[in-house]
Amino acid sequence: MKKLLLSAAILFGSVGAFAQGGLGYGLRAGVNIPKYSYENGSSESNTGFFVTGYLDAPVSPYFSIQPGLSLQNKGGKRTISEGSSSGEFKQSIMSLDIPVNLVAKLPTGESGNFFVGAGPYVGFGLSGKNKVKGNIGNWGAEGETDVKFGSGNDDNLKRTDFGINFLAGYQLTNGFQINAGYGLGLTNLAPNSGSIKNRVWSVGIGFGL
């Protein structure tokens, strides 16, 4: 965790030194609609939230680099009815992500500008809950347990994630913005066998200066 925050501090400092003109900053928040991608399909979607603070470092009048820190609610759920197993399994994860986006700004006169962007992110699982309704195989009867992070036989997910995120939106001249995004997880989070990858749609509002 300390290494992650130190890396973020170094990254922000480097971007600030590279920027042309004054640094801007902003805050985005809204609703996440996350799910998992498996080898042969995907889970159902959860509903969560996100809060992202970011710097806006202009490299030209129409392009900026935007590094940020983002608290992301991810996960997925499955409805199971197989043999003696019947019920719903839901996994909710809190992750601290560090995205770095290259953002293009498309002015629309004096009213504001459209923006589109993309870039990599690295995420670190902070905590999580497994929730079971019904009776589902190895997960047992209805109840709630903490997610175990790691690569061992008894673990649920790997802690560190890496992927690419995409964003788009519109910002008014007063700074208010609406935005949407998509997170494409590239890391296989399955501790041992199989494949589990994050897929996260988001929509929200924000403010930038």
Side-chain angles (χ1 to χ4, degrees):
M1 183 65 177
K2 291 182 180 179
K3 290 182 179 180
L4 188 71
L5 294 176
L6 178 60
S7 299
I10 294 172
L11 174 65
F12 290 178
S14 300
V15 169
F18 179 71
Q20 298 178 5
L23 279 173
Y25 58 90
L27 181 70
R28 298 183 180 115
V31 176
N32 272 353
I33 307 173
K35 67 178 181 179
Y36 290 131
S37 172
Y38 302 128
E39 286 179 314
N40 300 311
S42 64
S43 73
E44 300 170 56
S45 297
N46 278 350
T47 300
F49 70 92
F50 74 93
V51 179
T52 302
Y54 65 92
L55 295 179
D56 184 87
V59 295
S60 81
Y62 302 107
F63 289 93
S64 291
I65 296 175
Q66 291 184 354
L69 284 176
S70 185
L71 187 64
Q72 295 274 342
N73 190 189
K74 303 181 182 181
K77 66 181 180 181
R78 297 183 67 184
T79 301
I80 298 172
S81 180
E82 300 175 355
S84 60
S85 296
S86 179
E88 179 185 87
F89 171 73
K90 179 179 179 180
Q91 192 169 69
S92 180
I93 304 295
M94 291 306 305
S95 175
L96 180 64
D97 290 6
I98 301 177
V100 182
N101 295 309
L102 177 62
V103 178
K105 300 179 181 181
L106 311 172
T108 58
E110 297 182 357
S111 60
N113 62 264
F114 287 103
F115 60 87
V116 293
Y121 74 85
V122 59
F124 185 83
L126 300 176
S127 64
K129 291 291 184 180
N130 300 311
K131 297 181 181 180
V132 175
K133 293 182 179 180
N135 194 327
I136 304 177
N138 295 332
W139 295 101
E142 186 166 329
E144 181 178 291
T145 60
D146 292 331
V147 170
K148 296 179 180 179
F149 294 101
S151 300
N153 291 330
D154 296 328
D155 294 321
N156 303 135
L157 287 177
K158 295 178 182 176
R159 189 180 293 275
T160 304
D161 185 25
F162 176 80
I164 300 174
N165 61 75
F166 305 88
L167 72 156
Y170 189 82
Q171 180 168 312
L172 299 174
T173 52
N174 64 8
F176 178 81
Q177 63 178 246
I178 57 173
N179 56 79
Y182 181 70
L184 178 68
L186 302 179
T187 300
N188 181 5
L189 300 175
N192 298 295
S193 61
S195 177
I196 302 173
K197 297 181 180 181
N198 280 313
R199 301 287 186 266
V200 184
W201 287 100
S202 64
V203 61
I205 58 175
F207 190 84
L209 292 174

